[in-house]
Amino acid sequence: MELTRFKVPADRADELLQARPAMVADFRADREGFLDAQLIRVDDETWLDVVWWRSSEDFAASREKGANLPGIKAFFAPIAEMVSVEEGTTEGYASWGGAKLASRALVEVRATGLVSKEFFCVVHQLFSDTLAMDRVDELAQFP
């Protein structure tokens, strides 16, 4: 897991957010081992990007590439200061990450209408014991 803290001037936050989807698309297309990312706004100018990688080697290879694609460059452009870049592991939550990614994939498939609500719920329960049928519609609303 990558934890990158950086600063963006408050008046450029919209630029950062608008560039995010293209950056994630470039990562999915170009970065071996990229699993998922979540951007967190800490305060008006401080952000934390939490990125899940399949391995430390994949994270290192990604760092070597830098801002090699337009979507990645556009995301980095408003960043005024890199505060820290750290690597860590999620102790005790290994299955949660897989369930989260599987859930997101299922939500995307469910949104196509190609699978029934019941099938969606059964498959999702393979990854999470906490999902109840009445929460499927609520879950499907999340990105």
Side-chain angles (χ1 to χ4, degrees):
M1 171 186 292
E2 168 191 353
L3 303 165
T4 302
R5 186 178 295 260
F6 55 90
K7 292 193 177 277
V8 173
D11 63 344
R12 295 191 73 187
D14 287 343
E15 181 184 347
L16 180 82
L17 294 172
Q18 289 173 0
R20 183 64 172 193
M23 187 224 70
V24 171
D26 282 354
F27 264 51
R28 289 193 195 290
D30 185 60
R31 306 296 165 112
E32 185 72 27
F34 172 77
L35 300 175
D36 200 7
Q38 184 173 15
L39 186 61
I40 300 164
R41 189 175 201 161
V42 177
D43 60 38
D44 284 347
E45 294 189 347
T46 307
W47 299 78
L48 176 66
D49 204 356
V50 180
V51 183
W52 287 269
W53 296 96
R54 182 181 54 209
S55 69
S56 292
E57 294 78 20
D58 291 333
F59 173 44
S62 175
R63 290 191 67 184
E64 290 294 320
K65 287 185 173 188
N68 65 328
L69 295 174
I72 299 169
K73 285 179 187 173
F75 181 78
F76 286 173
I79 296 175
E81 178 188 349
M82 292 297 280
V83 176
S84 65
V85 178
E86 299 176 90
E87 185 176 1
T89 58
T90 52
E91 300 297 325
Y93 292 97
S95 62
W96 177 84
K100 179 182 177 205
L101 293 172
S103 296
R104 182 168 290 173
L106 285 170
V107 166
E108 291 175 16
V109 170
R110 175 66 185 125
T112 68
L114 298 176
V115 298
S116 70
K117 181 176 176 178
E118 291 75 18
F119 175 80
F120 173 82
C121 190
V122 168
V123 173
H124 189 280
Q125 283 178 334
L126 293 173
F127 299 101
S128 171
D129 295 331
T130 62
L131 182 68
M133 278 297 277
D134 60 351
R135 293 208 51 232
V136 174
D137 290 335
E138 174 189 326
L139 177 64
Q141 293 176 20
F142 295 127

